[in-house]
Amino acid sequence: MALPVTRYARSGEVHIAWQSLGDGRLDLIFIPGWVSHVEANWRFPEVASFLRTLAERCRLLVFDKRGTGLSDPMPRASTIEERMDDVRAVLDAAAVRRAVVFGASEGVSLAILFAATYPERTLGLVAYGGFACRRRTPDYPWAPSDKASARLMELVQRSWGGPMELDTLTPSRANDHRFVMRFASYLRQSASPGAAAALLRYNTDVDSRAALAHVAAPALVLHRTADRDAKIDEGRFIARHITGAQFVELPGADHWPFVGDSAALLGEVHRFLERLPSLPRRPGRRMPKPPRKPPVMSTLTSRQRQILELLAQGRSNREIAQVLTRSEHTVHRHVANILAQLGVRTRAQAVAILVR
């Protein structure tokens, strides 16, 4: 079977790589999780099988989020609203007026925000293995702690390129050597260590809870019982806060949708698509757009913010290294990452954002 052609959509200053396959009566756009690569998808048997099966009942659009795969790197820190609007850009490029929006993992928050912002363009919402918030709070206790998030970011920067996070993302295949090697290769093709870590940082600020009440389209929320990355209670929370949403609990512990009992997952999606024309739909009102924010300090880790505050005191890299009992090389790397995340070129510009 011929492979889909990669095309590009323009979202502001960023080019987004996308493909389409299938010729069903409904359009469905799939928003991937952490990282992806639209062409490497077809070299990964589990991913290719999943997408081809999904496309049997729809015209399927797939794309790489900004900063991943064949899409442009993020030129600066991007807000979740800008990342969500990449979905709109792909739909426009594909001449699609209305579509079912299917988010997986991190893609769920983008799907929720799109459905709330563009109710007139959302036929239905499918959410698999998602979370509504990625920072633990008293009223959302399932998200990772700040320490756990920082440990994962350090692991990504240290170990990206080799097998990692298998016990969390794909536990059923963690001991399958050939799969492990394919998975590591897929991650390398999908993002650089810096890009993968940047997405994790942005995800710590994801909070789509306010958008849930604005979702007017019929919604299907799917979650595996023992998912180790996004807890089952997070799926229940999402379903509980979307009026009329259907919640389906699936057996298994794999977070990645392409492994485990993917046939059961896809079966639920296909049944939802078949029922969609008869499902009730609430009158939709666009969710108000939040005020535009300046470059966000919240994208920085606690250690990076500490270093930025020391820079504001006029400290050199050597002095900061002594204060933090770290090597000067480590401090230099942190400073470079801080400048990249804030979208500035000099230390003075970064400090100006801190004191703004």
Side-chain angles (χ1 to χ4, degrees):
M1 186 178 294
L3 296 180
V5 175
T6 301
R7 297 179 171 86
Y8 284 91
R10 187 72 179 265
S11 181
E13 58 193 309
V14 178
H15 295 88
I16 303 297
W18 66 278
Q19 297 177 343
S20 71
L21 65 153
D23 56 2
R25 61 183 178 83
L26 293 176
D27 292 299
L28 183 150
I29 185 164
F30 180 73
I31 308 177
W34 188 10
V35 297
S36 68
H37 190 295
V38 291
E39 294 187 356
N41 284 343
W42 309 109
R43 298 190 290 271
F44 203 129
E46 290 82 356
V47 180
S49 175
F50 182 97
L51 295 177
R52 291 199 187 282
T53 303
L54 182 58
E56 289 174 0
R57 309 289 178 88
C58 63
R59 179 197 179 201
L60 175 64
L61 303 177
V62 295
F63 71 100
D64 292 330
K65 301 192 303 293
R66 58 176 63 199
T68 69
L70 294 177
S71 292
D72 281 346
M74 285 184 274
R76 52 179 170 73
S78 297
T79 66
I80 187 173
E81 290 80 18
E82 288 173 316
R83 294 165 62 203
M84 174 275 296
D85 209 48
D86 295 344
V87 179
R88 190 267 321 149
V90 172
L91 293 181
D92 286 351
V96 172
R97 190 172 66 87
R98 301 175 73 203
V100 176
V101 184
F102 181 174
S105 184
E106 169 195 320
V108 168
S109 289
L110 299 180
I112 290 167
L113 189 58
F114 182 88
T117 305
Y118 298 103
E120 73 283 1
R121 301 195 68 172
T122 308
L123 280 173
L125 170 69
V126 179
Y128 164 76
F131 47 83
C133 182
R134 209 52 171 169
R135 175 166 277 137
R136 185 178 297 174
T137 61
D139 57 344
Y140 197 90
W142 314 288
S145 66
D146 287 346
K147 286 186 178 179
S149 296
R151 281 196 300 270
L152 179 55
M153 279 185 264
E154 289 176 7
L155 174 65
V156 166
Q157 292 179 321
R158 183 176 67 250
S159 304
W160 192 257
M164 57 173 295
E165 284 295 285
L166 293 165
D167 289 338
T168 299
L169 300 177
T170 62
S172 72
R173 305 293 294 276
N175 296 317
D176 179 339
H177 178 73
R178 292 180 66 183
F179 174 86
V180 168
M181 292 300 101
R182 286 201 307 271
F183 187 69
S185 175
Y186 183 80
L187 294 183
R188 289 194 300 272
Q189 293 173 78
S190 298
S192 67
L199 286 167
L200 289 176
R201 280 191 294 271
Y202 300 149
N203 283 345
T204 61
D205 290 309
V206 164
D207 191 342
S208 59
R209 288 177 290 180
L212 294 170
H214 293 270
V215 175
L220 171 66
V221 181
L222 303 162
H223 217 101
R224 286 177 174 153
T225 305
D227 191 323
R228 300 175 186 178
D229 185 77
K231 306 299 187 291
I232 184 71
D233 284 333
E234 299 188 77
R236 292 180 180 133
F237 179 94
I238 291 170
R240 192 165 60 247
H241 288 83
I242 297 176
T243 301
Q246 178 191 1
F247 179 69
V248 177
E249 184 173 332
L250 299 167
D254 292 297
H255 181 67
W256 221 39
F258 313 114
V259 298
D261 191 355
S262 58
L265 191 164
L266 288 166
E268 294 291 345
V269 175
H270 284 159
R271 283 188 286 275
F272 175 73
L273 297 181
E274 290 169 1
R275 296 195 314 271
L276 194 55
S278 64
L279 294 177
R281 179 186 180 90
R282 295 189 300 129
R285 290 182 58 192
R286 281 195 178 203
M287 185 179 70
K289 290 188 176 181
R292 190 170 184 84
K293 296 179 180 180
V296 282
M297 292 296 299
S298 54
T299 62
L300 302 183
T301 65
S302 56
R303 174 52 57 88
Q304 289 172 329
R305 188 179 180 97
Q306 184 182 17
I307 290 172
L308 184 53
E309 289 170 348
L310 290 169
L311 288 175
Q313 297 172 18
R315 306 281 189 110
S316 66
N317 283 3
R318 178 174 297 179
E319 291 169 332
I320 294 172
Q322 292 172 346
V323 171
L324 301 180
T325 63
R326 293 290 188 272
S327 72
E328 194 171 342
H329 173 74
T330 297
V331 173
H332 176 80
R333 191 178 72 244
H334 276 304
V335 171
N337 288 337
I338 290 167
L339 300 184
Q341 285 169 235
L342 295 181
V344 297
R345 295 185 177 183
T346 69
R347 297 174 180 226
Q349 290 171 329
V351 169
I353 292 173
L354 174 68
V355 301
R356 180 177 293 168

Short mmCIF file of all heavy atoms in Angstrom, two decimals, residues 300-353:
data_model
loop_
_atom_site.label_atom_id
_atom_site.label_comp_id
_atom_site.label_asym_id
_atom_site.label_seq_id
_atom_site.Cartn_x
_atom_site.Cartn_y
_atom_site.Cartn_z
N LEU A 300 10.21 27.30 33.13
CA LEU A 300 11.51 26.98 33.72
C LEU A 300 11.33 26.01 34.88
O LEU A 300 10.37 26.08 35.63
CB LEU A 300 12.21 28.24 34.21
CG LEU A 300 12.47 29.36 33.19
CD1 LEU A 300 13.23 30.49 33.86
CD2 LEU A 300 13.24 28.84 31.99
N THR A 301 12.31 25.12 35.03
CA THR A 301 12.33 24.26 36.20
C THR A 301 12.73 25.10 37.42
O THR A 301 13.23 26.23 37.29
CB THR A 301 13.32 23.11 36.03
OG1 THR A 301 14.64 23.66 35.95
CG2 THR A 301 13.02 22.32 34.74
N SER A 302 12.56 24.53 38.61
CA SER A 302 12.94 25.26 39.82
C SER A 302 14.44 25.55 39.83
O SER A 302 14.87 26.62 40.26
CB SER A 302 12.53 24.47 41.07
OG SER A 302 13.10 23.18 41.05
N ARG A 303 15.25 24.61 39.32
CA ARG A 303 16.69 24.84 39.28
C ARG A 303 17.04 25.94 38.29
O ARG A 303 17.88 26.81 38.56
CB ARG A 303 17.40 23.53 38.92
CG ARG A 303 18.91 23.64 38.70
CD ARG A 303 19.64 24.34 39.86
NE ARG A 303 19.43 23.70 41.12
CZ ARG A 303 20.18 22.71 41.63
NH1 ARG A 303 21.17 22.23 40.93
NH2 ARG A 303 19.92 22.23 42.82
N GLN A 304 16.38 25.97 37.13
CA GLN A 304 16.66 27.02 36.15
C GLN A 304 16.25 28.39 36.67
O GLN A 304 16.97 29.37 36.47
CB GLN A 304 15.92 26.71 34.84
CG GLN A 304 16.52 25.55 34.07
CD GLN A 304 15.69 25.14 32.89
OE1 GLN A 304 14.46 25.28 32.92
NE2 GLN A 304 16.31 24.63 31.84
N ARG A 305 15.13 28.44 37.37
CA ARG A 305 14.73 29.73 37.95
C ARG A 305 15.73 30.19 39.00
O ARG A 305 16.05 31.38 39.10
CB ARG A 305 13.32 29.61 38.55
CG ARG A 305 12.78 30.97 38.98
CD ARG A 305 11.39 30.89 39.54
NE ARG A 305 10.94 32.21 39.94
CZ ARG A 305 10.18 33.00 39.21
NH1 ARG A 305 9.76 32.60 38.04
NH2 ARG A 305 9.82 34.19 39.65
N GLN A 306 16.23 29.24 39.79
CA GLN A 306 17.24 29.58 40.80
C GLN A 306 18.48 30.16 40.13
O GLN A 306 19.06 31.16 40.59
CB GLN A 306 17.60 28.31 41.58
CG GLN A 306 18.58 28.56 42.72
CD GLN A 306 18.94 27.27 43.43
OE1 GLN A 306 18.71 26.17 42.93
NE2 GLN A 306 19.50 27.38 44.63
N ILE A 307 18.90 29.55 39.01
CA ILE A 307 20.07 30.05 38.30
C ILE A 307 19.80 31.43 37.72
O ILE A 307 20.65 32.33 37.77
CB ILE A 307 20.48 29.06 37.19
CG1 ILE A 307 21.07 27.80 37.83
CG2 ILE A 307 21.48 29.68 36.22
CD1 ILE A 307 21.33 26.67 36.86
N LEU A 308 18.61 31.64 37.19
CA LEU A 308 18.26 32.94 36.63
C LEU A 308 18.28 34.01 37.73
O LEU A 308 18.74 35.14 37.50
CB LEU A 308 16.89 32.88 35.97
CG LEU A 308 16.41 34.15 35.25
CD1 LEU A 308 17.45 34.63 34.24
CD2 LEU A 308 15.08 33.88 34.56
N GLU A 309 17.81 33.67 38.91
CA GLU A 309 17.84 34.63 40.02
C GLU A 309 19.27 34.97 40.42
O GLU A 309 19.59 36.11 40.78
CB GLU A 309 17.06 34.07 41.20
CG GLU A 309 15.54 34.04 40.93
CD GLU A 309 14.77 33.27 41.99
OE1 GLU A 309 15.42 32.57 42.81
OE2 GLU A 309 13.53 33.36 42.00
N LEU A 310 20.17 33.97 40.34
CA LEU A 310 21.58 34.24 40.63
C LEU A 310 22.22 35.10 39.54
O LEU A 310 23.07 35.96 39.82
CB LEU A 310 22.34 32.92 40.79
CG LEU A 310 21.99 32.10 42.05
CD1 LEU A 310 22.57 30.70 41.96
CD2 LEU A 310 22.48 32.81 43.30
N LEU A 311 21.79 34.88 38.29
CA LEU A 311 22.27 35.75 37.21
C LEU A 311 21.83 37.19 37.45
O LEU A 311 22.58 38.14 37.18
CB LEU A 311 21.71 35.27 35.86
CG LEU A 311 22.28 33.98 35.27
CD1 LEU A 311 21.52 33.60 34.01
CD2 LEU A 311 23.76 34.13 34.97
N ALA A 312 20.62 37.35 37.97
CA ALA A 312 20.11 38.69 38.26
C ALA A 312 20.93 39.39 39.33
O ALA A 312 20.94 40.62 39.41
CB ALA A 312 18.64 38.61 38.69
N GLN A 313 21.62 38.60 40.15
CA GLN A 313 22.49 39.17 41.19
C GLN A 313 23.87 39.51 40.63
O GLN A 313 24.75 39.97 41.37
CB GLN A 313 22.64 38.18 42.34
CG GLN A 313 21.34 37.87 43.07
CD GLN A 313 21.49 36.74 44.08
OE1 GLN A 313 22.61 36.40 44.48
NE2 GLN A 313 20.38 36.16 44.49
N GLY A 314 24.07 39.24 39.33
CA GLY A 314 25.35 39.54 38.70
C GLY A 314 26.39 38.46 38.86
O GLY A 314 27.58 38.69 38.59
N ARG A 315 25.97 37.25 39.26
CA ARG A 315 26.93 36.16 39.46
C ARG A 315 27.41 35.59 38.12
O ARG A 315 26.66 35.51 37.15
CB ARG A 315 26.29 35.02 40.27
CG ARG A 315 25.66 35.42 41.58
CD ARG A 315 26.69 35.60 42.69
NE ARG A 315 26.03 35.78 43.99
CZ ARG A 315 26.04 34.89 44.96
NH1 ARG A 315 26.69 33.75 44.79
NH2 ARG A 315 25.43 35.14 46.08
N SER A 316 28.66 35.14 38.09
CA SER A 316 29.22 34.48 36.92
C SER A 316 28.87 32.99 36.97
O SER A 316 28.41 32.47 37.99
CB SER A 316 30.74 34.64 36.90
OG SER A 316 31.32 33.92 38.00
N ASN A 317 29.13 32.30 35.86
CA ASN A 317 28.90 30.85 35.84
C ASN A 317 29.69 30.15 36.94
O ASN A 317 29.20 29.22 37.60
CB ASN A 317 29.28 30.26 34.48
CG ASN A 317 28.21 30.52 33.42
OD1 ASN A 317 27.22 31.19 33.68
ND2 ASN A 317 28.43 29.98 32.22
N ARG A 318 30.96 30.57 37.12
CA ARG A 318 31.81 29.94 38.14
C ARG A 318 31.24 30.17 39.53
O ARG A 318 31.18 29.24 40.35
CB ARG A 318 33.23 30.50 38.05
CG ARG A 318 34.17 29.95 39.11
CD ARG A 318 35.59 30.41 38.90
NE ARG A 318 36.11 29.91 37.63
CZ ARG A 318 37.34 30.18 37.18
NH1 ARG A 318 38.14 30.97 37.87
NH2 ARG A 318 37.75 29.68 36.03
N GLU A 319 30.77 31.38 39.80
CA GLU A 319 30.20 31.67 41.12
C GLU A 319 28.91 30.88 41.34
O GLU A 319 28.67 30.37 42.44
CB GLU A 319 29.94 33.17 41.25
CG GLU A 319 31.22 33.99 41.33
CD GLU A 319 30.94 35.48 41.20
OE1 GLU A 319 29.94 35.87 40.55
OE2 GLU A 319 31.74 36.27 41.75
N ILE A 320 28.08 30.77 40.30
CA ILE A 320 26.84 30.00 40.43
C ILE A 320 27.16 28.53 40.67
O ILE A 320 26.51 27.86 41.49
CB ILE A 320 25.97 30.17 39.17
CG1 ILE A 320 25.50 31.63 39.05
CG2 ILE A 320 24.78 29.23 39.19
CD1 ILE A 320 24.80 31.95 37.75
N ALA A 321 28.16 28.01 39.97
CA ALA A 321 28.56 26.61 40.15
C ALA A 321 28.99 26.36 41.60
O ALA A 321 28.67 25.31 42.18
CB ALA A 321 29.69 26.26 39.19
N GLN A 322 29.70 27.32 42.19
CA GLN A 322 30.13 27.17 43.59
C GLN A 322 28.94 27.19 44.54
O GLN A 322 28.87 26.40 45.48
CB GLN A 322 31.12 28.28 43.94
CG GLN A 322 32.46 28.15 43.22
CD GLN A 322 33.35 29.36 43.42
OE1 GLN A 322 32.92 30.42 43.89
NE2 GLN A 322 34.63 29.22 43.06
N VAL A 323 27.99 28.08 44.28
CA VAL A 323 26.81 28.16 45.14
C VAL A 323 26.00 26.87 45.08
O VAL A 323 25.52 26.37 46.11
CB VAL A 323 25.92 29.36 44.71
CG1 VAL A 323 24.58 29.32 45.45
CG2 VAL A 323 26.64 30.67 45.00
N LEU A 324 25.86 26.31 43.89
CA LEU A 324 25.00 25.14 43.70
C LEU A 324 25.76 23.83 43.81
O LEU A 324 25.14 22.76 43.70
CB LEU A 324 24.33 25.21 42.32
CG LEU A 324 23.45 26.44 42.04
CD1 LEU A 324 22.86 26.36 40.64
CD2 LEU A 324 22.34 26.55 43.08
N THR A 325 27.07 23.91 44.03
CA THR A 325 27.93 22.71 44.06
C THR A 325 27.72 21.86 42.81
O THR A 325 27.49 20.65 42.87
CB THR A 325 27.72 21.87 45.34
OG1 THR A 325 26.37 21.38 45.36
CG2 THR A 325 28.02 22.69 46.58
N ARG A 326 27.75 22.51 41.67
CA ARG A 326 27.66 21.85 40.37
C ARG A 326 28.86 22.29 39.53
O ARG A 326 29.55 23.25 39.85
CB ARG A 326 26.36 22.23 39.64
CG ARG A 326 25.09 21.71 40.29
CD ARG A 326 24.99 20.20 40.15
NE ARG A 326 23.71 19.70 40.61
CZ ARG A 326 23.44 19.35 41.86
NH1 ARG A 326 24.39 19.49 42.78
NH2 ARG A 326 22.26 18.86 42.19
N SER A 327 29.10 21.58 38.43
CA SER A 327 30.22 21.95 37.57
C SER A 327 29.86 23.21 36.78
O SER A 327 28.68 23.50 36.54
CB SER A 327 30.54 20.81 36.59
OG SER A 327 29.54 20.69 35.61
N GLU A 328 30.89 23.92 36.37
CA GLU A 328 30.66 25.13 35.56
C GLU A 328 30.02 24.77 34.22
O GLU A 328 29.20 25.52 33.70
CB GLU A 328 32.00 25.84 35.34
CG GLU A 328 31.85 27.26 34.81
CD GLU A 328 33.18 28.00 34.82
OE1 GLU A 328 34.12 27.57 35.52
OE2 GLU A 328 33.27 29.02 34.10
N HIS A 329 30.38 23.60 33.70
CA HIS A 329 29.79 23.13 32.44
C HIS A 329 28.28 22.93 32.60
O HIS A 329 27.50 23.30 31.71
CB HIS A 329 30.44 21.83 32.00
CG HIS A 329 29.77 21.20 30.81
ND1 HIS A 329 29.90 21.69 29.53
CD2 HIS A 329 28.93 20.12 30.72
CE1 HIS A 329 29.19 20.95 28.70
NE2 HIS A 329 28.59 19.99 29.39
N THR A 330 27.86 22.36 33.72
CA THR A 330 26.43 22.14 33.96
C THR A 330 25.68 23.47 34.03
O THR A 330 24.60 23.62 33.46
CB THR A 330 26.23 21.36 35.27
OG1 THR A 330 26.82 20.06 35.14
CG2 THR A 330 24.74 21.20 35.60
N VAL A 331 26.28 24.45 34.69
CA VAL A 331 25.64 25.77 34.78
C VAL A 331 25.54 26.40 33.39
O VAL A 331 24.51 26.98 33.02
CB VAL A 331 26.42 26.68 35.74
CG1 VAL A 331 25.87 28.11 35.70
CG2 VAL A 331 26.36 26.13 37.16
N HIS A 332 26.62 26.28 32.61
CA HIS A 332 26.60 26.83 31.24
C HIS A 332 25.45 26.22 30.44
O HIS A 332 24.75 26.93 29.70
CB HIS A 332 27.94 26.55 30.56
CG HIS A 332 27.99 26.97 29.12
ND1 HIS A 332 28.21 28.28 28.75
CD2 HIS A 332 27.82 26.28 27.97
CE1 HIS A 332 28.18 28.37 27.43
NE2 HIS A 332 27.93 27.17 26.93
N ARG A 333 25.26 24.90 30.56
CA ARG A 333 24.17 24.23 29.83
C ARG A 333 22.81 24.73 30.29
O ARG A 333 21.91 24.96 29.48
CB ARG A 333 24.28 22.72 30.01
CG ARG A 333 23.36 21.93 29.07
CD ARG A 333 23.49 20.44 29.22
NE ARG A 333 22.91 19.99 30.48
CZ ARG A 333 23.58 19.42 31.46
NH1 ARG A 333 24.88 19.23 31.34
NH2 ARG A 333 22.98 19.04 32.57
N HIS A 334 22.64 24.90 31.60
CA HIS A 334 21.39 25.42 32.13
C HIS A 334 21.09 26.82 31.59
O HIS A 334 19.96 27.13 31.21
CB HIS A 334 21.43 25.47 33.67
CG HIS A 334 21.07 24.18 34.33
ND1 HIS A 334 19.88 23.54 34.09
CD2 HIS A 334 21.74 23.43 35.24
CE1 HIS A 334 19.83 22.43 34.83
NE2 HIS A 334 20.94 22.35 35.53
N VAL A 335 22.12 27.67 31.55
CA VAL A 335 21.92 29.05 31.07
C VAL A 335 21.49 29.02 29.60
O VAL A 335 20.58 29.76 29.19
CB VAL A 335 23.20 29.88 31.26
CG1 VAL A 335 23.06 31.23 30.56
CG2 VAL A 335 23.49 30.08 32.75
N ALA A 336 22.12 28.17 28.79
CA ALA A 336 21.75 28.08 27.38
C ALA A 336 20.30 27.63 27.23
O ALA A 336 19.55 28.15 26.39
CB ALA A 336 22.69 27.10 26.67
N ASN A 337 19.88 26.67 28.05
CA ASN A 337 18.50 26.20 27.99
C ASN A 337 17.52 27.29 28.42
O ASN A 337 16.42 27.43 27.85
CB ASN A 337 18.32 24.96 28.87
CG ASN A 337 18.97 23.72 28.27
OD1 ASN A 337 19.19 23.66 27.07
ND2 ASN A 337 19.30 22.76 29.11
N ILE A 338 17.89 28.06 29.42
CA ILE A 338 17.03 29.16 29.90
C ILE A 338 16.81 30.18 28.78
O ILE A 338 15.67 30.60 28.51
CB ILE A 338 17.66 29.85 31.13
CG1 ILE A 338 17.61 28.91 32.34
CG2 ILE A 338 16.95 31.16 31.45
CD1 ILE A 338 18.47 29.37 33.50
N LEU A 339 17.88 30.56 28.10
CA LEU A 339 17.76 31.54 27.01
C LEU A 339 16.87 30.99 25.89
O LEU A 339 16.02 31.71 25.36
CB LEU A 339 19.15 31.89 26.45
CG LEU A 339 20.16 32.51 27.42
CD1 LEU A 339 21.44 32.88 26.67
CD2 LEU A 339 19.59 33.73 28.13
N ALA A 340 17.05 29.70 25.56
CA ALA A 340 16.25 29.11 24.49
C ALA A 340 14.77 29.06 24.87
O ALA A 340 13.90 29.38 24.05
CB ALA A 340 16.76 27.70 24.19
N GLN A 341 14.48 28.68 26.10
CA GLN A 341 13.07 28.57 26.53
C GLN A 341 12.37 29.92 26.58
O GLN A 341 11.18 30.02 26.28
CB GLN A 341 13.00 27.91 27.90
CG GLN A 341 13.24 26.41 27.86
CD GLN A 341 13.42 25.85 29.25
OE1 GLN A 341 14.41 25.21 29.55
NE2 GLN A 341 12.46 26.09 30.11
N LEU A 342 13.10 30.95 26.96
CA LEU A 342 12.50 32.28 27.06
C LEU A 342 12.54 33.03 25.73
O LEU A 342 11.99 34.12 25.61
CB LEU A 342 13.21 33.10 28.14
CG LEU A 342 13.07 32.57 29.58
CD1 LEU A 342 13.81 33.47 30.55
CD2 LEU A 342 11.61 32.43 29.99
N GLY A 343 13.18 32.43 24.72
CA GLY A 343 13.20 33.06 23.41
C GLY A 343 14.04 34.32 23.35
O GLY A 343 13.73 35.26 22.61
N VAL A 344 15.14 34.35 24.12
CA VAL A 344 16.01 35.53 24.14
C VAL A 344 17.43 35.10 23.82
O VAL A 344 17.76 33.90 23.83
CB VAL A 344 15.97 36.24 25.51
CG1 VAL A 344 14.57 36.76 25.79
CG2 VAL A 344 16.42 35.32 26.63
N ARG A 345 18.30 36.09 23.56
CA ARG A 345 19.67 35.78 23.16
C ARG A 345 20.69 36.07 24.23
O ARG A 345 21.81 35.54 24.20
CB ARG A 345 20.02 36.56 21.89
CG ARG A 345 19.20 36.15 20.67
CD ARG A 345 19.68 36.89 19.43
NE ARG A 345 18.96 36.47 18.24
CZ ARG A 345 19.20 36.91 17.02
NH1 ARG A 345 20.18 37.80 16.83
NH2 ARG A 345 18.49 36.48 16.00
N THR A 346 20.37 36.95 25.16
CA THR A 346 21.37 37.37 26.15
C THR A 346 20.87 37.16 27.56
O THR A 346 19.66 37.08 27.82
CB THR A 346 21.74 38.85 25.97
OG1 THR A 346 20.60 39.65 26.35
CG2 THR A 346 22.13 39.16 24.54
N ARG A 347 21.81 37.09 28.48
CA ARG A 347 21.47 36.96 29.90
C ARG A 347 20.68 38.18 30.37
O ARG A 347 19.76 38.07 31.17
CB ARG A 347 22.74 36.83 30.74
CG ARG A 347 23.54 35.59 30.42
CD ARG A 347 24.86 35.60 31.18
NE ARG A 347 25.62 34.40 30.87
CZ ARG A 347 26.23 33.66 31.79
NH1 ARG A 347 26.18 33.99 33.05
NH2 ARG A 347 26.90 32.58 31.44
N ALA A 348 21.06 39.34 29.87
CA ALA A 348 20.38 40.57 30.29
C ALA A 348 18.90 40.53 29.91
O ALA A 348 18.03 40.94 30.68
CB ALA A 348 21.05 41.78 29.66
N GLN A 349 18.61 40.01 28.70
CA GLN A 349 17.21 39.91 28.28
C GLN A 349 16.44 38.92 29.17
O GLN A 349 15.28 39.15 29.51
CB GLN A 349 17.15 39.46 26.81
CG GLN A 349 17.62 40.52 25.83
CD GLN A 349 17.75 39.98 24.41
OE1 GLN A 349 18.05 38.80 24.20
NE2 GLN A 349 17.53 40.85 23.43
N ALA A 350 17.08 37.83 29.55
CA ALA A 350 16.43 36.85 30.42
C ALA A 350 16.15 37.45 31.79
O ALA A 350 15.07 37.26 32.37
CB ALA A 350 17.31 35.61 30.54
N VAL A 351 17.13 38.18 32.32
CA VAL A 351 16.94 38.81 33.64
C VAL A 351 15.82 39.85 33.57
O VAL A 351 15.04 40.00 34.51
CB VAL A 351 18.27 39.45 34.10
CG1 VAL A 351 18.03 40.34 35.33
CG2 VAL A 351 19.29 38.36 34.41
N ALA A 352 15.72 40.55 32.44
CA ALA A 352 14.66 41.55 32.27
C ALA A 352 13.28 40.91 32.37
O ALA A 352 12.34 41.49 32.93
CB ALA A 352 14.81 42.28 30.94
N ILE A 353 13.14 39.68 31.84
CA ILE A 353 11.86 38.98 31.94
C ILE A 353 11.59 38.61 33.39
O ILE A 353 10.46 38.70 33.89
CB ILE A 353 11.88 37.72 31.06
CG1 ILE A 353 11.91 38.12 29.58
CG2 ILE A 353 10.67 36.83 31.34
CD1 ILE A 353 12.11 36.96 28.63
#
